Amino acid sequence: MPDSSGATVFDDLPEWLVVDEILFRLPPRDILRCRAVRRSWRIGTSTDKFILDHHRRQPSLPIIKHREGICHLPVLSGASDVCSDKKIRPFVRYTPATIVDVIHHGACDGLLILSEQDDFYICNPTTRRCASLPHPPRRPGLSSVTVVAFYRHHTSGEHRVLWVVMSHATVEFESPDYFVLTVGSDKPRLVQWPIVSPAAESSTCPPVHHRGSLHWPMGLSITVFDTVAETFRQMSRPAQLGDNDMVALLDMGGALALSSTTLECVTLDVWVLQDYDAETWGFQYRINLRAIVAAPPLDLRLKYVPRMVAINERELLIQVGWRLLHCGIDGTFLGNVEIEEHENYLTLTKHRLQESMISLPLFEMQHEEEAVNNVPPFLIVL
């Protein structure tokens, strides 16, 4: 509040204290508004260190797809816990003509990669900036290009994408090619995928980031990509798992975890990697879908492979068919997750959004041209 002279209480405080102790604790969108108040606040909150440190404070929230856009769970203002209100709403809305064509490929540092048909985009929902994303060239004939992983190269600070280029010839099989391409560059670098099985597309099975590496469940082991050296290796999974068990990796409060279900699709076993270097897994708990007292009750007559992600160390989201449940790790039913729209056809993805104010040179380079020539098929409404 200003005093009789027109000065505010902020004028009596050191500038570093306002930036590092007050503005630093605000949500990203509030900081963006504060940048318009004072030039010193804009400068202080625009340094790489401030932006990265502030980004690390934000909650990492599971991303949920709806036929009209992309959603995440709401968060209480100024708190790290997810709001008890299970009503969600899209923060990215698809335009009416392109609802079924938009694909969500990846999330890293608050940035998203989306595509519509052959056009790829990278955007920051918090700052509402978006640009076209260059990708490796397709092969001659019938072929496709898509994202395998999206990550930050910590040594250089660059954001990079691991792409796969595949032929779809019906006569002779041709192995896919894998490329690493820095966001904004047009010079892809060929890398060797380490196993015979092709990589999963990030849109359906994104890797889990842990200890500077990306992790995919592949066959009876785990494929690991070191994002600094940009090399691959293999890691073992829990020895107790059966060959037919269906597994998925997840981030559980900063720990690398694995969920498994049998062909019956009624239980979810959760394991946590206790010693990364020794590759030692420890069993944590089992979720029995038959024992969940949901309202309305779950219909398990049809077999759906359940999907699960961790909200935090105590709470989970579990998808069974079209139902999206909020549960405790002990299987306690905490509520249904629904959207504010009339239809609740939600799909739980393995992607997570951790908001940031991170910008990219690509945003500045394409800002004027994009506004005229290449309008994205979605609206950012965060």
Side-chain angles (χ1 to χ4, degrees):
M1 293 290 294
D3 59 21
S4 58
S5 66
T8 69
V9 293
F10 289 108
D11 294 317
D12 299 326
L13 297 176
E15 199 67 42
W16 68 266
L17 184 65
V18 175
V19 172
D20 296 344
E21 297 297 333
I22 299 177
L23 299 182
F24 184 72
R25 301 177 189 277
L26 297 179
R29 280 168 289 173
D30 290 343
I31 294 178
L32 293 175
R33 295 186 185 101
C34 288
R35 285 181 177 178
V37 176
R38 293 191 179 187
R39 180 173 179 273
S40 59
W41 293 359
R42 183 174 72 251
I43 294 173
T45 60
S46 299
T47 66
D48 290 343
K49 183 180 187 307
F50 182 96
I51 290 173
L52 287 175
D53 288 347
H54 182 267
H55 164 62
R56 296 186 184 104
R57 285 176 52 90
Q58 307 312 305
S60 176
L61 301 174
I63 292 177
I64 301 162
K65 290 196 302 184
H66 181 254
R67 71 179 190 88
E68 293 186 358
I70 302 172
C71 318
H72 67 63
L73 293 180
V75 178
L76 288 169
S77 179
S80 60
D81 291 331
V82 174
C83 179
S84 58
D85 180 11
K86 314 302 188 307
K87 292 287 186 180
I88 62 176
R89 62 180 183 273
F91 63 89
V92 172
R93 284 189 179 274
Y94 307 144
T95 56
T98 56
I99 288 174
V100 297
D101 297 324
V102 176
I103 299 175
H104 177 209
H105 293 276
C108 176
D109 290 344
L111 304 169
L112 303 180
I113 295 179
L114 306 172
S115 75
E116 189 242 348
Q117 297 183 351
D118 295 336
D119 297 320
F120 288 82
Y121 303 88
I122 186 166
C123 66
N124 185 329
T126 302
T127 61
R128 301 193 177 191
R129 301 300 298 272
C130 185
S132 292
L133 182 66
H135 57 76
R138 289 173 173 78
R139 292 172 173 172
L142 187 61
S143 67
S144 63
V145 57
T146 192
V147 175
V148 176
F150 178 32
Y151 61 96
R152 182 161 61 93
H153 185 255
H154 288 274
T155 304
S156 65
E158 297 173 342
H159 287 88
R160 299 181 179 180
V161 182
L162 178 61
W163 298 87
V164 59
V165 179
M166 298 175 288
S167 295
H168 300 289
T170 58
V171 178
E172 184 177 349
F173 173 76
E174 189 174 358
S175 298
D177 287 328
Y178 297 87
F179 298 91
V180 169
L181 185 59
T182 299
V183 170
S185 170
D186 59 357
K187 298 178 180 178
R189 175 166 50 85
L190 185 67
V191 295
Q192 187 67 40
W193 183 251
I195 59 177
V196 175
S197 300
E201 297 181 10
S202 184
S203 58
T204 56
C205 185
V208 174
H209 295 239
H210 182 67
R211 286 185 52 158
S213 293
L214 308 177
H215 304 76
W216 296 265
M218 299 293 296
L220 301 181
S221 63
I222 296 170
T223 297
V224 183
F225 179 68
D226 185 319
T227 60
V228 175
E230 296 184 325
T231 56
F232 292 93
R233 65 182 179 87
Q234 298 298 303
M235 172 184 283
S236 62
R237 66 181 197 172
Q240 297 89 335
L241 296 179
D243 291 352
N244 294 323
D245 286 353
M246 294 170 281
V247 304
L249 296 177
L250 59 150
D251 181 323
M252 186 165 287
L256 182 62
L258 179 148
S259 66
S260 66
T261 185
T262 64
L263 295 177
E264 292 184 349
C265 299
V266 293
T267 60
L268 281 163
D269 289 347
V270 177
W271 305 74
V272 171
L273 189 60
Q274 296 176 331
D275 188 321
Y276 189 84
D277 296 324
E279 300 181 9
T280 304
W281 294 85
F283 178 78
Q284 296 298 298
Y285 51 84
R286 168 173 289 182
I287 301 291
N288 188 336
L289 299 181
R290 292 194 181 104
I292 294 179
V293 184
L298 290 176
D299 185 355
L300 300 176
R301 290 173 298 179
L302 295 177
K303 290 185 179 180
Y304 295 98
V305 179
R307 298 169 66 89
M308 182 181 76
V309 299
I311 299 175
N312 51 45
E313 295 179 354
R314 307 175 307 279
E315 299 169 275
L316 308 169
L317 291 180
I318 301 176
Q319 179 145 30
V320 183
W322 292 110
R323 292 280 299 279
L324 187 53
L325 311 178
H326 178 202
C327 300
I329 60 174
D330 59 356
T332 302
F333 174 70
L334 301 176
N336 296 296
V337 177
E338 300 175 337
I339 195 167
E340 292 181 347
E341 315 290 340
H342 296 296
E343 299 176 356
N344 281 311
Y345 294 107
L346 303 176
T347 301
L348 182 62
T349 76
K350 296 300 180 70
H351 300 283
R352 305 181 75 93
L353 179 68
Q354 188 175 12
E355 287 190 46
S356 78
M357 299 176 292
I358 291 173
S359 187
L360 297 171
L362 192 63
F363 292 154
E364 308 303 327
M365 291 165 51
Q366 295 191 5
H367 182 58
E368 294 184 2
E369 179 182 349
E370 287 290 306
V372 177
N373 298 327
N374 194 0
V375 179
F378 50 83
L379 299 173
I380 299 173
V381 293
L382 184 64

